[in-house]
Amino acid sequence: MNAAGPSGPRILLRRLREVMAGPGDAQARMDQLVTVIAANMVAEVCSIYLLRDGVLELFATEGLKRSAVHQTVLRVGEGLVGQIAQLAKPMALSEARSHPNFAARPETGEEDYHSLMGVPVLRGGRVVGVLVVQNKTNRDYLSDEIEAMQTIAMVLAEMVGGALQEEVPGVGTIGSDGLPMRLAGLALNDGLARGVAVLHEPRIVVEQHVADDVDDEAARLNTAIAELRTQVDGMLQAAIAEPSGESRDILETYRMFAHDKGWMARMHEAVQSGLTAEAAVERVQVENRARMSEIGDAYLRERLHDLEDLSNRLMRHLTNNGGQLSDGDLPDQAVVVAWNMGPAELLDYDVNRIKALVLEEGSPTSHVAIVARALQIPVIGRLDQLLEVVDSGDDLVVDGDNGQLFVRPGADALEAFGANLELRQAKAAQYAALRDQPAVSKDGTRIHLNLNAGLLADLPHLDETGADGIGLYRTELHFMVRATLPTVSMQTEFYSRVLDQAGDRPVVFRTLDVGGDKMLPYLTRYDDEQNPAMGWRAIRLSLDRPVLLRMQIRALLKAAEGRPLAIMFPMIAEVSEFVAARALLDREVERQSRMGEEGPSSLRVGTMLEVPSLAWQLSALLPLVDFISIGSNDLMQFLFASDRGNPRLANRYDELSPSALSIVRDIVQNCAAAAVPVSLCGEAAGRPVDAMALIGLGLRSISMGAASIGPVKMMVKSLDLPALQEFMTNIYESPEHSLRDALTQFAENHDVAI
Ligand code: PEP
Ligand code: MG
């Protein structure tokens, strides 16, 4: 709205409202609107496409052929208009025809127009249409102009939801209401659940966008912000009083955002342009979402999700929709449906009633997925159109194992669900019965099954599963859910709680594995890394920033206080790195004794073996370490030069390939010869067939997620180890891509429960 001066936006908004409130039916008013918008945007064409029963239909146009109105239709995803609807993002092109998704519609007579700008029309977070302008010249639309169009689209959405929906049935819908549907997404945490859909953000639909009085709206916004701040402070107070430390850390980030000057300024600016307070919050939220989808950095994306949550809370204050869903409103079997959410939001619910979580966004490394895993809640992410097709109260079946969501399931889906659930429950009962029995194979070999953990919420799984101890404690998760670096005393308190809860069971703490894509906000980032997994991370970062590592070691030594302590370093690639890290640790041990503090009763120091180069320095390494833990996730990613997070490569290389098994066998044999204890803590340890092979090649200790302890223990108890060892004797020389089939066949032939 650059040309019209400071009062320009307000004048336009008023004009639009006059048209919308004016005489005539909805069609007549829309015809008028496109004329007003085209004139204001200095465009030759302005068109409104609205979703009607699932397709985008041209509803009104200034500049294109009138005969195309209600005739031209596009599927969501088809052509540029379809793409704008699908991505729910604005698009501005100075030459639309050269875009690969351009789809010509000759009946509209648009061949004379070159530039195009379109924005989605969103109502309550759903796309209901697309608003487009076109020009004959190759115009470069300015960001101010795109923002102005987004504001106009918000006002248009108000009309679509109101008068138009009454006059034109089916408008604004995707036409699936009430029918069973299956959506496929990405499995983020396995498990099976059925429950009632609870929309995490009950759709807040802004009913009035144009302000009657700008000063009143500014005052309303200020009041709501003050209420929000009080609410966040209250949540923080409650979290401090509560034993689990995670929510407190997360909420500190929230408090920081609730006082963020940039965010406040952007919302106030939107009010000054003539929007109501809630429309201003929505407006800035839409901008944030667009920014979010462009950010590659996982950590920053997570922070923007926190901001999204705060925007929603603010909106609820403005629409008197209460602060949040009260537990009384939450059904006992709830499936939470969200676009995305931060970990604090999940912890805000009574988690005992949450049976599953389904997200339109989400990634395996997102914090909410990590927390949900610790709480054993099945999660599916990346479910396209989730919020379009699911309504509050819908019956949902969540198949977290296969990443499938059944919305309003039909009889066949329910029957399959029932059968699967029974099977799972029967298995769970079998695993529970094994809880107090040690994992001993049929021939009497004791295998140590440990837990991988990283959050306080993981610790109850020690008792629930009967695990022998914690084989890998990923300390970075505690750092990642916080806004600021935890102090030594905060860390001490945290580690001490971990040790308290573990009791007599050993815990192996791994020092910070941050950097790369697990960047902390309070750590300066220097370059854009092309390959973050192979970049400045883990021990590399710790050795370059020794204060961070020393603070952590100081806290660990203090927390142990008369108890045994085991520490290991991540991503050690050569012996000299271990020596340097160990020297830092020794300085802290000396410092502790100089200060007269009580240290650990015993101290074991080891390393992860997850960079292949270290496997060829074992003779120099083994005399220096107390133990080794093989990190097969990274070891295989580097061995095969195959990104562990890339789904296209997920099945290309197998951890049960001859080369993968050979490298692990060689490491294990070298450790055995040097009498150095060795374990493996990658994902492979948690899959029964893989775990069987690892035991067959010599491992006697493995560490895995809580859900795997039962199935792996059952496998061990049914295993005849000498028979497996004999079967595996010459297997390493095989030219096969993978030995998975052969090992599975062995298990079947020998009644091993896999
Ligand atoms: C591994 O690399 O196998 C491992 C256990 O560490 P992380 O998964 O935390 O990288
Ligand atoms: Mg690793």
Side-chain angles (χ1 to χ4, degrees), residues 368-571:
V368 72
I370 291 168
V371 172
R373 230 167 273 151
L375 297 168
Q376 299 192 310
I377 295 174
V379 188
I380 308 179
R382 308 263 170 89
L383 288 159
D384 264 357
Q385 293 202 313
L386 173 70
L387 293 169
E388 308 267 335
V389 302
V390 175
D391 258 318
S392 180
D394 274 346
D395 187 7
L396 298 179
V397 164
V398 179
D399 177 357
D401 299 348
N402 301 302
Q404 301 207 21
L405 174 70
F406 298 88
V407 185
R408 301 173 290 268
D412 44 349
L414 282 178
E415 202 174 303
F417 166 76
N420 282 337
L421 192 66
E422 262 176 42
L423 205 70
R424 269 187 98 93
Q425 281 168 345
K427 279 200 176 151
Q430 282 178 314
Y431 302 146
L434 296 180
R435 196 190 69 165
D436 298 323
Q437 299 179 24
V440 178
S441 64
K442 278 196 339 206
D443 54 288
T445 310
R446 171 80 160 96
I447 309 295
H448 290 270
L449 305 183
N450 292 307
L451 208 62
N452 290 348
L455 290 168
L456 291 173
D458 283 316
L459 295 169
H461 300 150
L462 270 174
D463 283 338
E464 286 159 22
T465 60
D468 292 305
I470 296 180
L472 165 66
Y473 197 95
R474 292 181 165 104
T475 57
E476 60 272 10
L477 298 184
H478 178 55
F479 286 69
M480 286 168 67
V481 295
R482 295 181 46 87
T484 53
L485 180 69
T487 61
V488 173
S489 65
M490 282 171 171
Q491 291 186 53
T492 308
E493 188 198 326
F494 186 83
Y495 301 139
S496 146
R497 256 199 244 160
V498 174
L499 289 169
D500 289 347
Q501 295 202 32
D504 296 340
R505 290 160 293 203
V507 180
V508 179
F509 288 98
R510 181 177 73 186
T511 64
L512 272 184
D513 183 359
V514 293
D517 58 350
K518 287 194 260 182
M519 209 59 203
L520 305 179
Y522 38 89
L523 218 62
T524 322
R525 175 172 220 158
Y526 291 101
D527 329 283
D528 264 344
E529 296 190 291
Q530 300 239 339
N531 296 301
M534 296 196 279
W536 194 55
R537 62 173 276 209
I539 200 68
R540 304 163 181 190
L541 187 150
S542 295
L543 291 176
D544 290 348
R545 294 277 177 279
V547 175
L548 208 61
L549 182 59
R550 285 185 58 185
M551 277 171 69
Q552 185 177 33
I553 292 171
R554 193 172 299 176
L556 284 165
L557 290 170
K558 239 179 159 152
E561 223 184 11
R563 297 180 277 195
L565 179 66
I567 297 180
M568 66 178 171
F569 303 112
M571 289 286 287

Side-chain angles (χ1 to χ4, degrees), residues 189-201 324-338 341-359 368 371-380 396 398:
N189 191 30
D190 61 5
L192 207 58
R194 181 180 179 192
V196 180
V198 171
L199 295 190
H200 173 56
E201 291 307 338
Q324 62 203 84
L325 199 70
S326 78
D327 282 347
D329 302 335
L330 192 67
D332 282 340
Q333 312 277 325
V335 175
V336 176
V337 180
M341 64 159 70
E345 296 166 87
L346 183 63
L347 293 168
D348 241 9
Y349 284 98
D350 170 0
V351 289
N352 295 320
R353 298 193 199 181
I354 307 287
K355 298 302 159 211
L357 172 65
V358 288
L359 304 170
V368 72
V371 172
R373 230 167 273 151
L375 297 168
Q376 299 192 310
I377 295 174
V379 188
I380 308 179
L396 298 179
V398 179

